[in-house]
Amino acid sequence: MAARRAKAAAMRADDAEAREAARARVDAAKRALGERGPVWWEDDAPDLTRRMAQTTVYASWWADLAEGEQG
């Protein structure tokens, strides 16, 4: 958020150099958080959408959950 605030301040001040520096910081933060970069849907992992957890590779994780945690 500090980078976003810095970008907003640079834009209000009409400081192109500071704006570009802040944009680079925002981009670095987003990449570190996984919001930018390689997309997850092209990682060749199986699509487990609409499958019950206990019938997938997550079965052992599901089994280890407490009764109330299984939804």
Side-chain angles (χ1 to χ4, degrees), residues 40-62:
W40 58 266
W41 57 87
E42 292 179 355
D43 66 356
D44 295 328
D47 182 7
L48 302 176
T49 306
R50 298 185 179 156
R51 303 242 176 115
M52 295 172 49
Q54 64 265 32
T55 64
T56 68
V57 296
Y58 299 104
S60 63
W61 165 81
W62 179 261

Side-chain angles (χ1 to χ4, degrees), residues 3-4 7 20-37:
R4 286 185 173 189
K7 180 180 173 259
E20 290 307 313
R23 280 184 177 169
R25 288 177 51 208
V26 169
D27 185 61
K30 287 188 173 221
R31 288 183 186 280
L33 291 169
E35 294 179 15
R36 294 197 176 145

